Amino acid sequence: MSCMLLFDVTGDQRMGEINKAVIPAAGMGTRFLPASKAIPKELLPVFDVPLIHKAVEECVNSDIKEIIFIISHGKDSIIQYFENSLEYEKLMHEKNMEVYASYFKKLRSEISFKYVYQPVQLGLGHAVLLAKEHINSEAFAVILPDDVILGKQSALNELVSIYNLFQTSVLAVENVPNEKLSDYGVIKPYQIQKSIYEVYDMIEKPKIGFAPSNLGIVGRYILTPEIFEVLETVKPGVNGEIQLTDGLLSLLEIQKIHACEFSGIRFDAGNPVGLLKASIHYGMSDEKYKKEIREWIQGTLKSEI
Ligand code: G1P
């Protein structure tokens, strides 16, 4: 059961208090070398749409009005991707790609884009801190494009519904197998209702045997603006980076934090196998391609590669 169902938030309902989103996209994409040498990994496609397109789509579906991208040098093609192009919009319209034509039209008329350069990769917490001047004093969303979440409900919408109930920071979490926990921030939860937790503690990339639960943080957050104050004082943690999880742990000393087990399926598209799985899943959700992909996979499984 999803957070959305619990609180009966229908797709039409505009919960409305989260207007800005931060999308960190400054990482080097080393797991996608050599492709990421010339193409930002965020522009690699989940089937036919770039990862960052999916992240922005989630923002659009949550009525976000302003998106702040944290990028690095060499990632200017992300700016180009979201630049207005009436020519391409017209082309998509003519080629029966109405869904994409209207996506870009909507972006053009409804969303304001800001870009902040992160000169050195000092971690996710540092990337979020760079958005401070654009956020001021309101709660905001953070979306990590590497985490692709597919499903009927938008994961971000589910988080917004929890934020509207508690007015606290809200983290997306999912059940992670023991052997993978050390890749995640992991929370110590107190269950309030099915799929909704109060967070009592958390640790970034715990060593084996030290995770406080199996609930790993996934790349969707609603953060209260006090996160900036604490991130300014957080010391480098795991991998020598300013970790968002460490900032959240400090935030926990002054505010409650909640977590939500979202309803969609999440793919870790930060690595080639995860991106491939996301692409297949997404491609198969399209009636036009479903049969061909299924038949090819079935045939491939029978043959020896
Ligand atoms: C980041 C966060 C981690 C979170 C993960 C989700 O880690 O630091 O807490 O669990 O995203 O994808 P990264 O994947 O950048 O190492």
Side-chain angles (χ1 to χ4, degrees):
M1 192 187 290
S2 75
C3 303
M4 294 284 269
L5 289 172
L6 273 168
F7 291 99
D8 192 24
V9 178
T10 67
D12 292 341
Q13 228 168 319
R14 167 69 179 133
M15 298 307 289
E17 294 178 45
I18 304 296
N19 292 307
K20 297 184 182 182
V22 177
I23 302 187
M28 297 284 285
T30 42
R31 280 177 285 182
F32 283 103
L33 283 170
S36 57
K37 196 167 161 280
I39 306 161
K41 68 167 177 179
E42 295 79 9
L43 287 180
L44 295 174
V46 180
F47 199 65
D48 59 351
V49 294
L51 283 163
I52 205 155
H53 175 121
K54 295 295 299 165
V56 167
E57 187 176 72
E58 225 172 299
C59 294
V60 173
N61 291 340
S62 293
D63 279 352
I64 297 287
K65 299 293 176 221
E66 183 174 327
I67 300 177
I68 301 117
F69 294 95
I70 312 300
I71 59 170
S72 49
H73 290 283
K75 296 233 180 182
D76 295 347
S77 43
I78 292 177
I79 303 178
Q80 203 182 338
Y81 187 76
F82 291 109
E83 259 167 13
N84 294 336
S85 170
L86 294 178
E87 193 189 341
Y88 271 107
E89 248 178 64
K90 187 165 164 276
L91 191 62
M92 286 185 270
H93 182 65
E94 285 166 6
K95 298 286 176 191
N96 285 328
M97 295 176 161
E98 202 46 60
V99 176
Y100 300 140
S102 54
Y103 168 91
F104 284 103
K105 189 174 171 198
K106 199 161 183 175
L107 295 190
R108 183 159 49 79
S109 57
E110 292 179 14
I111 311 271
S112 147
F113 292 98
K114 302 272 159 52
Y115 296 90
V116 178
Y117 282 89
Q118 186 182 29
V120 193
Q121 309 306 293
L122 296 177
L124 180 58
H126 179 256
V128 170
L129 186 54
L130 289 175
K132 182 183 173 185
E133 61 171 309
H134 293 290
I135 303 284
N136 305 318
S137 55
E138 55 191 297
F140 61 100
V142 174
I143 298 199
L144 308 187
D146 278 3
D147 282 322
V148 174
I149 302 178
L150 303 174
K152 288 201 180 84
Q153 314 274 18
S154 143
L156 189 57
N157 265 340
E158 295 181 80
L159 262 57
V160 171
S161 70
I162 307 297
Y163 170 77
N164 286 334
L165 278 172
F166 298 111
Q167 306 286 309
T168 64
S169 296
V170 187
L171 320 177
V173 291
E174 76 171 359
N175 243 297
V176 172
N178 288 341
E179 67 278 11
K180 295 266 184 194
L181 280 169
S182 50
D183 293 340
Y184 293 80
V186 182
I187 66 163
K188 180 176 181 184
Y190 171 77
Q191 187 159 29
I192 300 176
Q193 287 189 48
K194 195 162 179 4
S195 310
I196 300 179
Y197 304 88
E198 192 179 325
V199 178
Y200 278 7
D201 195 5
M202 69 191 95
I203 176 168
E204 178 68 12
K205 300 189 173 43
K207 295 208 167 63
I208 290 169
F210 285 86
S213 76
N214 278 79
L215 289 177
I217 303 170
V218 164
R220 301 290 182 278
Y221 307 76
I222 302 292
L223 301 176
T224 56
E226 289 77 14
I227 191 70
F228 295 122
E229 289 164 34
V230 295
L231 281 174
E232 271 162 359
T233 63
V234 160
K235 301 267 179 306
V238 175
N239 299 330
E241 295 179 344
I242 309 285
Q243 297 291 349
L244 180 57
T245 306
D246 293 341
L248 287 162
L249 192 57
S250 299
L251 189 65
L252 205 49
E253 289 171 18
I254 51 172
Q255 291 178 348
K256 287 188 175 185
I257 296 179
H258 289 87
C260 159
E261 257 182 294
F262 52 92
S263 57
I265 303 177
R266 174 254 182 178
F267 298 88
D268 176 6
N271 69 76
V273 174
L275 182 63
L276 182 66
K277 287 180 188 170
S279 289
I280 293 171
H281 186 97
Y282 190 54
M284 286 186 69
S285 66
D286 189 328
E287 285 303 323
K288 197 162 60 166
Y289 302 112
K290 193 176 183 165
K291 186 166 175 283
E292 187 180 346
I293 298 173
R294 185 186 295 277
E295 283 173 2
W296 184 83
I297 290 174
Q298 282 168 345
T300 302
L301 289 178
K302 278 185 208 144
S303 66
E304 284 178 37
I305 295 181

